[in-house]
Amino acid sequence: MKLMRNILDRIKPHFEENGTLHKLYPAYDAFETFLFVPNHTTSSGTHIKDSVDLKRTMVIVIIALIPCLIFGMWNTGYQYFSQLTPDMNGYKDSYTLFDSFIYGFWKFIPLIIVSYAVGLAVEFAFAVNRKHQVNEGYLVSGMLIPLTMPIDVPLWMLALSVIFAVVVGKEVFGGTGMNILNPALTARAFIFFAYPTKMSGDKVWVSSAESIDGITGETALGQLASMVDINPTSQNIINKFGQFSSDGVYSLYNSFMGFVPGSVGETSVIAILIGAAILIFTGIGSVRIIFSMFIGGLLMSYIFNIFAPESNLFMSLNPFHQLCIGSFMFGMVFMATDPVSAAQTNTGKVVYGFLCGVLSILIRVFNPAYPEGVMVAILFMNVMAPLIDHYVIEANINRRKKRLQMKLLKS
Amino acid sequence: MDVKISKGANIKIKGSADRVYANHTEPEFYALKPTDFHSLIPKMVVREGDYVMAGDVLFNDKKNEKIKFTSPISGHVLEIKRGEKRKILEVKLQSDDEIKYKKFNLSAPDELKRQDIIDFMLDSGLWPFIRQRPFSTIADPSQQPKAIFISAFDSAPLAPDNDFIFHGDNGLFQFGLDIITQLCNGVTHLNLDGNSNSNKVFREAKGVQINNIFGPHPSGNIGVQIHHIDPINKGDVVWYLSPQDVLTIGRCFRDKKYDVSKIIALTGPKVLKPRYYKVISGSSIKGLVSENTSKDQKRFISGNVLTGQRIESDGFLGFYDSQITVIKEGNYSEFFGWLLPGFNKYSLSRTFFSWLNSKKEYDLDSNTHGEERAYVVTGQYESYMPIDIFPVQLIKAILIEDIELMENLGIYEVDPEDFALCEYSCTSKIPVQSIVRKGLDIIQKEFS
């Protein structure tokens, strides 16, 4: 610690004004403040300041993501090993929890490394170029992006989507705090529309499914989307829908626990709820958004239940089950709550969350081309959030104007 | 009227003053600081070396020369300290051994009319105690306010306890109130701390409307009280003053001399024995703090930790302040401070494990705990802003200097001190109070 401090103090003059490396000062500063909370003291206003800062805030979100991360690693291995047959390479008679975790760990670590390395490189480049400090925003985006990807996504695609997200999603608007769209969702949307074959179908959600015949894994949503508008009495459909009953692959229990194929972080509702508890307890995630989005999704699913025609089994799925599949929960807790792209007023947050929930289910069920409605719904509501805020603020302004009018009338 | 406030917080900082009076040696030096009066441009009357008595004019308000600022003690003008662009910062005085007071003429108190009161206050130098909202500048004596507000309590961190200070008051407060109430045709509000049983002096005050305010800081802020009791619309003016100022005004009317002694609290984590002291306004703090503070590198604040002014160890008490706070200067860097569990790092959020021990009081220092960033976290200011405005949106309106939007969002109802908790808790470390001050200055300039 002392040694680190001494090294930093020794090289600091090179980066300061008139130093040979002054251009790289933002990079040095980012590194120094990463290691040490700086010795700055208050100069105006309050003489004391709260201990919390943006780094702390971001690190709490990462901690909240750890349950999803660990579960996602394990589930990657589990989905893989459970599909292997004795004639395949890597088959094991018995595999432990640890085997699955280690398999997933080695599969997933490259994604995290690429995401952080590429994303932070772009951030540093922008910071140096624009002479501002490196913001902490990417610490969370860098973790969220790989968690929303299929495990086998090619690394170059991941890198490309990260660059797109940081540059177009964030930096062109002025960096962290200025963006309109959620950067992590921007990355996912980019890869979804640019390389749809890598983001849908039954060959991407389980590790090595593309290279090994016999391994497949459709997501629950993909299954449901394929059942729409087909004679519901056919044996094929009955079999398929049977997978959603209590002893099927996509049962409520499996979906809740997360023993299903899907993007790495999204499958386990229970891991997501642990994250939600951390975010809500520390006050970092907006409970208004999380709760109202849940209500919105639930309500929409109920309405679909009521009006479901016989030929649409998707609509008739139990509302709780509906919310547990796909990335609804993950989006609700980690994506919709991004404070920069969400509505900013307290009333606005409730409206925003509710509409996110309603639209997610609406898009998911009525547009099977996008089996994941949550992503599109949240991005759409990101764009709408300033409008919601505008009306909330306008109401406050009108209250004040009315008070002034009342006073003028009296006198 | 009862007002309940739920938004806000009481910061858990060590070093509140014990309810004991301590003695100290009479300070030799005093100062009147024009910078204590916002937007004041002083016009000097005395020169260095002049002899003044307590109550003699030191300088006037350049915009309204009737408003006089008088010497709190008798002695010589030692120095007129100037800063950048020759701005006058301090008029420093060296005190006589015994204070000689200038005699003022005044007819019997019962026969006083509003104008007589104002004239006496202007002449004697009492007028600057009366301030106005919006803008928190010295009130304009030619105006009629719609109401007068007096907050009987201060909810700021480590604030002096008025119930203790007013213990044993023998009618002087009521005498002062009777004078103040004549300044306004409207109601004079006396706002009491609903959380505790206030001193009888306040509870049984006559001629005023008594309101009970419940809830955490900033419930004691005059701006918050005005908002809930009789909000300011565009064009309204409300006058306000503190209870000790009422006492001072009462005393000066009774004795017909300018005697501005008051009781202050010496507080803060770096004070060895936090106590109450009887001092004269503008006195040097040197004698108070030289023996009674720890050996660390310290910051001395005239006022509280949220809104006070930084002064030197031999600096002077501010005109409106009745509190001195001493904290540690936080110029240290902390290895991975943002990552460690933080059992000892106080935060209003629950991002550090210090929430486990909610009763503990902390030795808070002046470290910023991070660097300034753009706004990311939302909803934070709203939980500490008991006024029905949108704080972040108002601040953004000020930053883009959109006057109409500022008015629409309610800038007349706020004061920098109302944003102090927002600034304290801000994750992005935005200097909120100075932004709000800037907004008010823009508005004031636009309409003057």
Side-chain angles (χ1 to χ4, degrees):
Chain A
M1 179 179 146
K2 192 100 188 162
L3 179 76
M4 282 302 245
R5 189 68 254 174
N6 289 340
I7 295 172
L8 282 170
D9 285 342
R10 204 175 319 139
I11 60 171
K12 191 166 188 169
H14 297 295
F15 293 96
E16 281 173 334
E17 206 124 359
N18 303 327
T20 44
L21 299 169
H22 180 56
K23 271 188 180 161
L24 293 175
Y25 183 74
Y28 168 81
D29 180 65
F31 193 64
E32 186 190 2
T33 57
F34 180 82
L35 287 173
F36 291 92
V37 173
N39 59 353
H40 302 168
T41 54
T42 51
S43 55
S44 74
T46 59
H47 295 272
I48 51 172
K49 295 238 186 214
D50 201 282
S51 299
V52 71
D53 69 343
L54 205 51
K55 282 195 179 71
R56 183 72 181 182
T57 307
M58 294 299 174
V59 104
I60 296 285
V61 183
I62 292 179
I63 289 170
L65 279 167
I66 285 177
C68 291
L69 177 72
I70 290 176
F71 184 90
M73 286 176 173
W74 171 81
N75 191 43
T76 300
Y78 168 75
Q79 294 295 335
Y80 171 75
F81 285 126
S82 63
Q83 293 216 18
L84 292 180
T85 49
D87 56 313
M88 291 182 192
N89 272 343
Y91 173 78
K92 291 187 178 186
D93 279 331
S94 61
Y95 50 94
T96 59
L97 280 176
F98 192 66
D99 287 334
S100 301
F101 175 77
I102 288 297
Y103 179 85
F105 178 84
W106 288 116
K107 279 276 174 189
F108 192 61
I109 282 294
L111 270 63
I112 297 184
I113 292 171
V114 167
S115 165
Y116 273 118
V118 174
L120 287 176
V122 178
E123 288 264 357
F124 272 73
F126 266 91
V128 168
N129 199 12
R130 290 186 177 178
K131 299 181 179 59
H132 65 61
Q133 285 149 326
V134 179
N135 284 335
E136 290 81 5
Y138 195 74
L139 289 179
V140 168
S141 306
M143 182 62 87
L144 279 173
I145 291 171
L147 283 174
T148 60
M149 297 288 171
I151 188 70
D152 273 347
V153 65
L155 294 179
W156 66 268
M157 265 184 214
L158 179 69
L160 214 56
S161 70
V162 163
I163 293 169
F164 181 83
V166 175
V167 175
V168 178
K170 196 157 80 172
E171 290 297 340
V172 292
F173 296 107
T176 303
M178 314 291 180
N179 46 301
I180 292 169
L181 299 176
N182 181 330
L185 276 183
T186 310
R188 193 178 198 275
F190 173 81
I191 213 165
F192 181 83
F193 289 109
Y195 308 102
T197 52
K198 293 289 176 194
M199 290 292 277
S200 50
D202 61 356
K203 283 287 182 191
V204 301
W205 304 108
V206 175
S207 175
S208 310
E210 275 183 295
S211 50
I212 304 177
D213 270 349
I215 298 189
T216 59
E218 177 66 287
T219 62
L221 286 173
Q223 285 282 6
L224 283 168
S226 69
M227 287 181 229
V228 175
D229 290 334
I230 296 170
N231 178 11
T233 52
S234 78
Q235 193 55 43
N236 184 18
I237 291 295
I238 289 171
N239 285 347
K240 267 189 173 177
F241 200 63
Q243 292 178 327
F244 288 84
S245 65
S246 61
D247 53 352
V249 184
Y250 305 115
S251 66
L252 183 58
Y253 175 78
N254 278 358
S255 306
F256 187 78
M257 298 307 287
F259 307 143
V260 291
S263 300
V264 180
E266 73 176 23
T267 58
S268 171
V269 175
I270 198 148
I272 293 164
L273 288 180
I274 294 170
I278 294 173
L279 289 184
I280 291 171
F281 180 78
T282 54
I284 285 170
S286 165
V287 67
R288 285 184 178 83
I289 294 176
I290 295 178
F291 195 68
S292 61
M293 183 164 168
F294 186 76
I295 297 294
L298 208 60
L299 195 76
M300 200 66 218
S301 313
Y302 263 117
I303 292 172
F304 281 158
N305 270 194
I306 297 167
F307 295 104
E310 247 179 56
S311 64
N312 196 329
L313 291 168
F314 205 163
M315 282 170 77
S316 60
L317 194 66
N318 170 328
F320 276 105
H321 203 162
Q322 181 78 271
L323 300 192
C324 287
I325 58 176
S327 54
F328 185 89
M329 284 290 179
F330 192 81
M332 176 178 92
V333 174
F334 294 109
M335 296 294 185
T337 52
D338 169 23
V340 178
S341 54
Q344 310 208 339
T345 55
N346 283 341
T347 320
K349 281 175 186 167
V350 175
V351 177
Y352 162 89
F354 184 80
L355 291 177
C356 275
V358 168
L359 281 179
S360 298
I361 302 300
L362 193 74
I363 297 171
R364 170 192 284 188
V365 173
F366 278 150
N367 195 342
Y370 305 125
E372 198 30 278
V374 181
M375 175 184 82
V376 189
I378 294 176
L379 284 173
F380 180 73
M381 289 312 297
N382 282 170
V383 178
M384 289 298 152
L387 187 69
I388 299 171
D389 281 339
H390 173 77
Y391 283 109
V392 174
I393 293 164
E394 206 64 15
N396 178 278
I397 289 172
N398 286 337
R399 262 203 304 284
R400 196 166 291 110
K401 279 187 178 158
K402 223 173 239 170
R403 198 174 71 202
L404 181 63
Q405 273 172 354
M406 289 290 281
K407 180 203 143 195
L408 293 176
L409 279 175
K410 267 189 204 162
S411 59
Chain B
M1 189 175 173
D2 281 0
V3 175
K4 287 192 175 62
I5 285 163
S6 56
K7 294 173 173 180
N10 294 322
I11 290 173
K12 296 201 176 67
I13 177 170
K14 254 188 214 165
S16 64
D18 298 332
R19 297 176 172 216
V20 184
Y21 287 106
N23 291 322
H24 66 108
T25 48
E26 287 295 322
E28 192 186 355
F29 301 108
Y30 290 80
L32 193 57
K33 297 183 273 189
T35 48
D36 284 343
F37 312 97
H38 187 73
S39 77
L40 171 77
I41 302 169
K43 191 178 172 207
M44 290 307 300
V45 172
V46 292
R47 271 182 286 183
E48 286 178 7
D50 285 0
Y51 181 80
V52 288
M53 291 204 288
D56 274 337
V57 181
L58 295 177
F59 52 84
N60 297 326
D61 181 351
K62 200 169 185 178
K63 281 182 245 160
N64 182 355
E65 292 192 14
K66 277 185 182 167
I67 299 177
K68 300 182 176 101
F69 299 83
T70 55
S71 171
I73 46 103
S74 61
H76 286 92
V77 179
L78 201 63
E79 186 195 357
I80 296 171
K81 195 174 162 191
R82 288 171 187 271
E84 272 174 44
K85 296 184 186 165
R86 294 186 47 77
K87 183 183 173 185
I88 299 168
L89 301 177
E90 277 173 8
V91 180
K92 209 168 154 184
L93 305 158
Q94 186 168 25
S95 169
D96 290 344
D97 290 339
E98 196 173 328
I99 298 175
K100 296 183 196 70
Y101 293 95
K102 182 181 171 183
K103 280 282 170 203
F104 292 95
N105 293 322
L106 188 69
S107 47
D110 325 343
E111 295 159 23
L112 287 174
K113 300 225 164 45
R114 180 174 189 262
Q115 197 54 48
D116 300 332
I117 294 172
I118 293 176
D119 288 343
F120 178 79
M121 289 179 77
L122 286 168
D123 276 345
S124 59
L126 284 173
W127 188 256
F129 283 115
I130 314 272
R131 283 181 285 175
Q132 68 152 61
R133 286 293 166 87
F135 309 129
S136 36
T137 52
I138 296 169
D140 178 353
S142 62
Q143 260 182 332
Q144 262 285 358
K146 80 163 177 172
I148 295 178
F149 276 78
I150 302 164
S151 175
F153 67 109
D154 188 345
S155 57
L158 308 178
D161 179 3
N162 282 336
D163 295 334
F164 171 70
I165 291 173
F166 279 75
H167 184 75
D169 175 75
N170 47 12
L172 195 56
F173 181 70
Q174 184 62 49
F175 181 73
L177 269 189
D178 291 341
I179 293 162
I180 298 296
T181 47
Q182 291 183 56
L183 291 175
C184 168
N185 291 333
V187 185
T188 300
H189 296 272
L190 181 65
N191 304 323
L192 272 49
D193 186 0
N195 307 313
S196 70
N197 200 2
S198 300
N199 196 314
K200 213 169 79 179
V201 180
F202 302 127
R203 269 186 290 133
E204 296 177 357
K206 292 182 186 65
V208 293
Q209 180 181 327
I210 291 181
N211 308 298
N212 290 301
I213 319 286
F214 298 84
H217 184 62
S219 57
N221 278 11
I222 209 84
V224 173
Q225 298 172 355
I226 294 171
H227 174 80
H228 287 279
I229 294 165
D230 187 6
I232 295 177
N233 299 298
K234 186 181 179 179
D236 289 349
V237 171
V238 167
W239 289 357
Y240 70 100
L241 66 168
S242 82
Q244 283 218 64
D245 301 342
V246 176
L247 215 55
T248 305
I249 289 167
R251 194 184 316 117
C252 294
F253 271 82
R254 188 189 64 190
D255 303 343
K256 302 183 181 59
K257 62 183 188 182
Y258 187 66
D259 174 6
V260 281
S261 54
K262 61 174 160 186
I263 289 159
I264 62 158
L266 176 61
T267 61
K270 290 299 160 209
V271 178
L272 300 175
K273 286 179 183 160
R275 297 276 190 274
Y276 286 86
Y277 294 88
K278 191 176 176 195
V279 300
I280 293 172
S281 178
S283 80
S284 163
I285 65 161
K286 194 175 176 184
L288 299 180
V289 300
S290 58
E291 298 285 305
N292 197 7
T293 48
S294 72
K295 295 273 181 286
D296 303 90
Q297 199 183 349
K298 290 160 301 217
R299 177 181 294 201
F300 300 91
I301 302 159
S302 174
N304 64 60
V305 280
L306 294 179
T307 59
Q309 290 299 317
R310 183 181 192 163
I311 52 176
E312 298 300 319
S313 62
D314 57 352
F316 302 93
L317 185 70
F319 187 80
Y320 298 108
D321 298 328
S322 50
Q323 181 183 9
I324 295 163
T325 313
V326 186
I327 58 171
K328 192 179 148 194
E329 199 65 86
N331 51 354
Y332 54 87
S333 51
E334 198 184 352
F335 188 61
F336 276 130
W338 56 280
L339 192 61
L340 298 171
F343 291 100
N344 261 322
K345 298 193 77 173
Y346 179 64
S347 173
L348 290 176
S349 70
R350 276 181 291 212
T351 50
F352 292 91
F353 277 100
S354 53
W355 60 263
L356 284 169
N357 190 351
S358 60
K359 292 242 163 61
K360 189 176 168 185
E361 289 182 331
Y362 292 83
D363 178 0
L364 301 178
D365 56 46
S366 67
N367 193 289
T368 54
H369 301 293
E371 295 170 296
E372 189 176 331
R373 290 286 183 264
Y375 278 118
V376 170
V377 178
T378 59
Q380 208 170 17
Y381 290 10
E382 282 81 353
S383 22
Y384 305 111
M385 174 54 74
I387 297 178
D388 180 27
I389 57 158
F390 285 104
V392 179
Q393 283 72 16
L394 177 59
I395 282 163
K396 287 180 177 171
I398 295 169
L399 289 174
I400 58 168
E401 304 193 4
D402 183 336
I403 290 172
E404 200 191 338
L405 190 57
M406 284 189 239
E407 284 188 336
N408 283 341
L409 290 171
I411 191 155
Y412 293 111
E413 298 179 49
V414 299
D415 194 64
E417 67 172 11
D418 300 329
F419 282 78
L421 273 179
C422 302
E423 180 169 350
Y424 168 78
S425 66
C426 184
T427 302
S428 299
K429 315 284 175 195
I430 308 273
V432 182
Q433 289 190 85
S434 57
I435 295 173
V436 174
R437 186 77 256 179
K438 185 183 137 205
L440 287 165
D441 288 348
I442 293 170
I443 297 271
Q444 203 180 3
K445 210 171 159 192
E446 183 74 16
F447 294 105
S448 65

